[in-house]
């Protein structure tokens, strides 16, 4: 006996899988770009900012960025499941605005802070991709519709759950 959910769960799972693959690609590109800091930037990380040593190796930076994306995705999924559609959309808009503010503050910091300016444009671009990935997660949930289930949990006259097999 197997219990399956009726509806578009398979389509949603495929969309989520491809979305997570997209986030992994953004994280890999971000990690690769952040590992390409300028020579003087790498020296600064080695001697003065040792807590950022993981950004010097592309796959470690990519894993760190992907973990941030996964945590953000899980937070958005929790909000999607627990709040009403209007409250959840308000949260997604707030998180999107936070990504825009983070992008701008990173740009401002990279252009006005001398030691951060020395890291080079590739490192900056990798960091901007982190904020773009954050915004993509927020946009994914902002435009995702919640399934409309009438009272009683029935979809099209059928129960929401269906028992297959015997």
């Amino acid at each position: 006996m197997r219990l399956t959910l009726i509806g578009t769960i398979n389509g949603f799972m495929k969309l989520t899988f491809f979305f997570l693959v997209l986030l992994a690609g953004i994280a890999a590109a971000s990690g690769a770009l952040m590992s390409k800091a300028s020579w003087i930037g790498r020296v600064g990380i080695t001697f003065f900012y040792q807590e950022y040593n993981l950004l010097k190796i592309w796959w470690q930076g990519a894993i760190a960025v992907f973990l941030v994306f996964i945590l953000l995705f899980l937070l958005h999924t929790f909000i999607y499941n627990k709040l009403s559609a209007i409250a959840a959309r308000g949260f997604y808009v707030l998180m999107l605005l936070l990504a825009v503010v983070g992008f701008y503050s990173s740009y401002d910091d990279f252009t006005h802070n001398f030691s951060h300016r020395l890291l080079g444009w590739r490192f900056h671009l990798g960091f901007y991709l982190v904020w773009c990935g954050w915004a993509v997660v927020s946009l994914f949930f902002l435009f995702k519709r919640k399934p409309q289930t009438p009272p009683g949990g029935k979809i099209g006259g059928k129960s929401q759950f269906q028992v297959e097999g015997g």
Side-chain angles (χ1 to χ4, degrees):
M1 183 187 290
R2 193 175 82 188
L3 188 68
T4 59
L5 188 63
I6 296 176
T8 61
I9 192 73
N10 288 338
F12 175 72
M13 294 297 269
K14 286 180 186 177
L15 180 65
T16 301
F17 173 75
F18 288 120
F19 182 70
L20 291 176
V21 169
L22 172 71
L23 288 180
I26 293 172
S30 176
L33 286 167
M34 285 191 287
S35 72
K36 302 293 183 201
S38 66
W39 179 79
I40 193 72
R42 292 174 66 82
V43 168
I45 288 173
T46 300
F47 291 113
F48 301 110
Y49 299 104
Q50 294 170 350
E51 60 272 13
Y52 300 117
N53 269 337
L54 70 102
L55 298 178
K56 290 177 13 180
I57 302 170
W58 78 269
W59 60 269
Q60 289 179 350
I63 289 173
V65 171
F66 189 64
L67 286 176
V68 169
F69 288 162
I70 291 296
L71 290 174
L72 194 61
F73 185 83
L74 291 175
L75 174 67
H76 278 69
T77 302
F78 177 78
I79 295 296
Y80 178 81
N81 290 329
K82 294 298 180 187
L83 295 182
S84 68
I86 293 172
R89 286 185 192 259
F91 175 78
Y92 304 144
V93 168
L94 179 69
M95 294 300 279
L96 183 60
L97 290 174
L98 189 62
V100 170
V101 168
F103 187 95
Y104 175 75
S105 64
S106 296
Y107 172 77
D108 187 54
D109 184 57
F110 287 150
T111 55
H112 291 100
N113 187 327
F114 181 70
S115 62
H116 292 169
R117 195 176 331 145
L118 292 176
L119 288 167
W121 66 271
R122 280 178 253 157
F123 181 88
H124 297 173
L125 186 59
F127 209 82
Y128 298 148
L129 279 177
V130 173
W131 292 113
C132 289
W134 180 304
V136 166
V137 171
S138 297
L139 288 171
F140 176 78
F141 280 93
L142 186 63
F143 292 113
K144 187 166 80 166
R145 295 186 186 267
K146 279 194 168 190
Q148 298 295 326
T149 54
K154 299 206 179 240
I155 300 174
K158 297 180 182 177
S159 174
Q160 189 174 0
F161 293 97
Q162 173 183 341
V163 178
E164 294 179 0

